Amino acid sequence: MTDGSAPTDAPQPVGGPGRRRAPRPGRSRWLAAGGVAVLAGVLGLTLALRAGATPACAAPPAAVAPLGVAVPPAAAPPVGGAVHKGKATFYDSKGAGGNCSYPSAPANRLYVALGPSEYAAGAACGGHLDVTGPKGTVRVLVMDQCPECAPGHLDLSREAFARIADPVQGIVSVSYRAVVDPPLPGPLTFRIKEGASRYWFAVLVADHGNPLRAVEVRQGDSGGWRAAARQDYNYWLVESGAGPGPYSIRVTDVYGHRVTAGGIRLAPGQVQRGTVRMYGGGASVGGGRPAAHSASPRPSASPTPRATSPRPSPSAAPASASPSAPDAPVVPLAAEAPAAGCRN
């Protein structure tokens, strides 16, 4: 994974130029026979059409994965009110803000790392989940990716895990669902990435409550909007730049809330707090100003190393999930074998 600040070389063909893979025995004969069959089918269809017959309409064949190859689920963050069932382990980010590039972990240290299918290349960053286990429910911020976690496997902070289960268990069954419009800590914040200039722009948006769908930037308070592209480390990038600033930044979340913050300066490495909230408050254009805390170091573009969670005792069976809310549909996850290196 890269942070977009430096180009990478294009991959070279395996084996070098001029090398070709030898054909499999019998493949030419199979292709010849197949070609004859296709030709016969085309001729038959042509004759039928000339005779006035109308070919039957059929739906296109469904894509079938090769035998023994699992089809991965489409990557998407948890949203809406659907309840999911899965399992939870725990780790310690050591105070870092995880793959979502936040300057630090939240002050209450209640956070979660999701597997690639639910982290969804950064689309889940900044959202919240309510996770229910044997001891109760805890609300956590999505701030990290767990590369080895299968769908439904939540890697909680140690503090969050302790709210729902005894840490000595190491792994427990849980149910969880996305929180829609959680209370906000304040107005939106913006952090321009180190290395940004009028010719290359990247911004980290935080304190938005729900996962984001789009970020757009324009120079000043007028002119056309430039769509920023989400990076998997949670910055929004305008490769060709957005001008010298100050900027207006328009933010849209997955539920359709949209606000515009103005006066965001080209101040790489500084956290600037606007005057508009993502929802529940004014949506007028406001001026940006630096936050009270100091600038944080440049976030790494690679996943933050995470400590290994303790393994459960062989005699300890995972606890059953708490009952799901009666007013929300339960989405069971297919049973899967633990991925290599997965803490289970």
Side-chain angles (χ1 to χ4, degrees), residues 204-224:
L204 173 72
V205 184
D207 291 344
H208 42 80
N210 300 313
L212 295 183
R213 186 178 69 197
V215 170
E216 301 161 284
V217 185
R218 72 181 178 191
Q219 170 68 37
D221 295 332
S222 61

Side-chain angles (χ1 to χ4, degrees), residues 89-107:
T89 52
F90 63 89
Y91 80 109
D92 189 351
S93 76
K94 307 297 184 183
N99 228 139
C100 292
S101 299
Y102 296 128
S104 63

